Amino acid sequence: MQQIPINLLKQFIKSLPQSDLSFAYGSAVQPQFNYDYTKNKPMIDLIIAVDNVEEWHLQNIQINSTHYSGLSYYLGSRFIQRMNVEIFPIHFSPFVQYQDLKLKYGVVATKELIKDLENWKWLSIAGRMQKPIVAIQESENLRFQRACISNLQSAIAVAILMDFKPSMSLQELLYNVISLSYYGDIRFTLGGENQNKVFNILKGNYKNITDLYLTNLGDLNNVIKVQKDGEILIDTSIKSLEFLCSLIPGQLLSIVLGEKDNMGSLKMMSQDRIKDLIKESIKRKNQFSSRRMLFYNLAMISPFLSVKYGIQKLSKRFK
């Protein structure tokens, strides 16, 4: 796998209107097992967070009009902002050529990015940031920095609750964590992703994923103990169960509890019932978000690019 062209990506970010932060993610920046990088050079995926989405796109359409197609080009920045509010919060521009790089970048309001990290409102950006990323433009926003850590800790807590037992291997726990953002995703149902994607991500980038989580456990160290042989001992007491439940992000918790919007009702449930509810809630959240994202992308970019991108995604099924 080739080294990430950080300096060139920074130049690209500077060619766009001002943004708050940006990072690269996906197969181009995190090595995946069983992916031939010599034959298939992946498109570099970026997320760019901005203060004012409408104003940002208004400027960018003037500067980089070729990055837009379909309704996003013809109806402009106000329509994009409205669709972000009503349908899906990220506007993606795929197949953008910058020097010798092929990019796909998504633009999102900074406040929506932080909400997703804190509450898993969409589990879209939060899911992407549950894997290693490469920062292109750092942020000094303290709320964002705290949200990044809470997102990782919530992922660990939810992954444990999905399979609550006294012990498991570190590899098993991290597999459950990586699975969170794919469980129920319509792209898997339609065959638009490699069915072994979670395994390939974990095996191809195991050390970085391990470091990402073990250095950000915080108070979770009181619940899990990582042994030298890679085995994880889990405190399954009621107190630990309550603590893990307290780390369930708000949007997911509201699905789990339904109309019973209080933590007390969750604490009274059996462990098996909590596991089932967590799994079903993750599935519903990903189904909702991935369907919205698919509809948004089909509506906002040209039919040609939609077909081109769809073919590219379908090809991953056989890699």
Side-chain angles (χ1 to χ4, degrees):
M1 183 175 178
Q2 296 181 342
Q3 189 173 4
I4 304 303
I6 297 292
N7 290 334
L8 197 53
L9 289 174
K10 287 182 177 180
Q11 290 178 30
F12 172 71
I13 295 299
K14 290 180 180 179
S15 74
L16 305 172
Q18 184 177 354
S19 53
D20 293 337
L21 65 97
S22 58
F23 63 86
Y25 68 96
S27 57
V29 301
Q30 55 175 15
Q32 292 190 20
F33 175 70
N34 204 28
Y35 192 109
D36 191 344
Y37 286 91
T38 62
K39 293 182 179 179
N40 304 291
K41 189 176 180 180
M43 190 158 46
I44 297 178
D45 296 313
L46 302 172
I47 290 292
I48 301 170
V50 304
D51 180 54
N52 187 313
V53 168
E54 183 178 346
E55 179 62 29
W56 193 94
H57 285 295
L58 179 63
Q59 295 179 32
N60 198 44
I61 289 173
Q62 296 173 350
I63 301 170
N64 299 297
S65 61
T66 58
H67 296 183
Y68 296 83
S69 61
L71 293 180
S72 64
Y73 177 79
Y74 290 107
L75 298 181
S77 61
R78 181 171 297 181
F79 183 73
I80 293 174
Q81 191 271 340
R82 182 176 176 182
M83 290 288 282
N84 286 162
V85 171
E86 297 186 3
I87 305 297
F88 191 71
I90 314 171
H91 179 85
F92 286 103
S93 294
F95 303 107
V96 172
Q97 195 72 36
Y98 183 76
Q99 297 189 32
D100 64 341
L101 300 180
K102 185 176 290 186
L103 309 168
K104 181 188 76 176
Y105 69 89
V107 178
V108 62
T110 303
K111 62 181 181 180
E112 290 299 322
L113 182 151
I114 293 174
K115 284 181 184 178
D116 199 39
L117 291 173
E118 292 176 338
N119 299 315
W120 291 7
K121 180 178 180 180
W122 296 90
L123 192 50
S124 182
I125 298 173
R128 286 164 169 81
M129 296 188 72
Q130 287 165 5
K131 279 84 71 177
I133 60 172
V134 175
I136 307 302
Q137 180 186 3
E138 299 278 2
S139 172
E140 296 181 358
N141 185 317
L142 294 179
R143 184 181 171 189
F144 166 74
Q145 294 172 5
R146 290 193 294 266
C148 289
I149 296 174
S150 69
N151 177 45
L152 299 177
Q153 293 175 350
S154 291
I156 286 285
V158 171
I160 292 173
L161 289 170
M162 289 177 71
D163 194 13
F164 198 51
K165 55 187 179 182
S167 68
M168 65 176 70
S169 69
L170 177 59
Q171 183 173 345
E172 183 180 1
L173 175 60
L174 294 177
Y175 185 93
N176 290 345
V177 167
I178 302 302
S179 298
L180 292 177
S181 56
Y182 300 110
Y183 189 57
D185 193 318
I186 193 173
R187 291 174 296 177
F188 278 83
T189 305
L190 297 176
E193 288 287 1
N194 188 323
Q195 300 301 302
N196 296 316
K197 188 178 183 73
V198 174
F199 172 81
N200 291 342
I201 289 174
L202 186 59
K203 185 168 183 178
N205 206 12
Y206 187 76
K207 184 181 184 305
N208 287 336
I209 293 173
T210 301
D211 291 343
L212 177 66
Y213 282 94
L214 294 189
T215 57
N216 288 291
L217 287 175
D219 289 341
L220 280 165
N221 282 305
N222 298 323
V223 177
I224 65 175
K225 302 297 180 185
V226 183
Q227 307 300 296
K228 291 182 178 180
D229 61 358
E231 190 75 4
I232 292 182
L233 303 181
I234 302 172
D235 181 356
T236 56
S237 67
I238 295 298
K239 182 179 179 180
S240 293
L241 178 63
E242 291 178 354
F243 174 70
L244 291 171
C245 289
S246 73
L247 294 179
I248 300 174
Q251 288 286 321
L252 185 65
L253 187 62
S254 65
I255 299 176
V256 172
L257 295 177
E259 296 180 357
K260 301 175 182 179
D261 192 14
N262 63 84
M263 185 63 74
S265 60
L266 186 63
K267 293 175 182 178
M268 295 175 63
M269 296 178 186
S270 68
Q271 293 179 6
D272 287 341
R273 179 60 176 160
I274 291 175
K275 286 195 297 185
D276 291 342
L277 285 172
I278 291 286
K279 288 181 179 180
E280 180 61 26
S281 300
I282 288 287
K283 182 179 180 180
R284 287 172 57 187
K285 174 63 68 176
N286 282 326
Q287 284 177 338
F288 174 79
S289 296
S290 59
R291 286 170 181 168
R292 287 294 188 100
M293 182 175 68
L294 178 63
F295 175 79
Y296 181 96
N297 290 336
L298 288 173
M300 296 297 283
I301 66 176
S302 70
F304 171 76
L305 287 182
S306 296
V307 171
K308 183 179 179 181
Y309 187 65
I311 291 173
Q312 184 186 78
K313 297 296 287 183
L314 284 170
S315 68
K316 292 184 179 181
R317 183 176 184 178
F318 306 104
K319 292 178 181 178

